[in-house]
Amino acid sequence: MTTHDPIPARLAALKTATTPELKQQWRELFDSEPPPFNRRYLESRLAYRIQELAYGGLKPETIRRLERLGEELDGGDRKKSRMRADLKPITGTRLLREWQGVEHVVTVTGDGFEWQGRPYKSLSAIARAITGTRWNGWVFFGLKSRRGRA
């Protein structure tokens, strides 16, 4: 290979670019305003976009296959398809929380959660049933800090 490939250098430069520089690159590469997400997200999406434009994106057949697999997983439910799969703990995970001297065990199911043999769609509903007050279920069960860090 005799020609120099500038793509690895562009990818490496993302790490040292300032956030305003990353946002400007976003505008240039996506022709839209950057989303209000953290720097790591901007870096990863810009890295993908740089490579996609240079080397080509996914083949149409791959895109169709991924869409079919996604529909199999979420049953075509648009709300589920917009949820990040990595936000919810793996099915079968047991969450333990002691509240006022009583230990509560919640099991993660395929379509929500189970507590005391009853299905729930959200951890917040379970936290409210346990405490009698409104709670962020992710905070209550220690999956997310109050400051918003995972």
Side-chain angles (χ1 to χ4, degrees):
M1 186 172 203
T2 58
T3 59
H4 175 67
D5 185 358
I7 302 306
R10 285 186 70 190
L11 299 177
L14 292 174
K15 291 286 182 200
T16 58
T18 65
T19 302
E21 290 170 339
L22 292 175
K23 290 182 177 187
Q24 183 55 41
Q25 283 190 54
W26 184 283
R27 290 180 192 98
E28 293 166 5
L29 295 174
F30 288 97
D31 197 29
S32 68
E33 283 301 305
F37 299 135
N38 64 29
R39 177 187 176 87
R40 198 165 94 191
Y41 176 83
L42 293 175
E43 285 178 21
S44 69
R45 290 296 297 132
L46 286 168
Y48 183 88
R49 183 71 173 154
I50 289 167
Q51 293 174 86
E52 179 182 42
L53 293 172
Y55 307 129
L58 296 173
K59 296 177 184 173
E61 175 53 34
T62 303
I63 293 170
R64 284 191 296 275
R65 184 164 185 227
L66 288 170
E67 287 172 350
R68 278 195 313 269
L69 288 170
E71 286 176 8
E72 287 176 23
L73 288 173
D74 64 29
D77 183 339
R78 296 301 302 158
K79 186 175 179 184
K80 281 186 183 177
S81 69
R82 287 190 300 268
M83 289 174 43
R84 286 184 49 178
D86 61 347
L87 290 180
K88 184 179 164 193
I90 297 169
T91 299
T93 300
R94 294 178 60 208
L95 307 173
L96 303 173
R97 170 65 199 254
E98 184 178 320
W99 179 257
Q100 296 182 340
V102 178
E103 185 177 88
H104 297 275
V105 180
V106 172
T107 303
V108 179
T109 63
D111 59 347
F113 306 92
E114 182 179 292
W115 174 65
Q116 293 187 338
R118 291 185 51 211
Y120 288 83
K121 292 288 183 192
S122 74
L123 286 174
S124 296
I126 297 170
R128 186 171 190 177
I130 292 170
T131 66
T133 59
R134 290 182 183 264
W135 270 85
N136 176 311
W138 297 91
V139 172
F140 183 79
F141 285 97
L143 298 174
K144 181 177 173 185
S145 76
R146 290 182 192 266
R147 295 188 188 107
R149 286 179 282 138

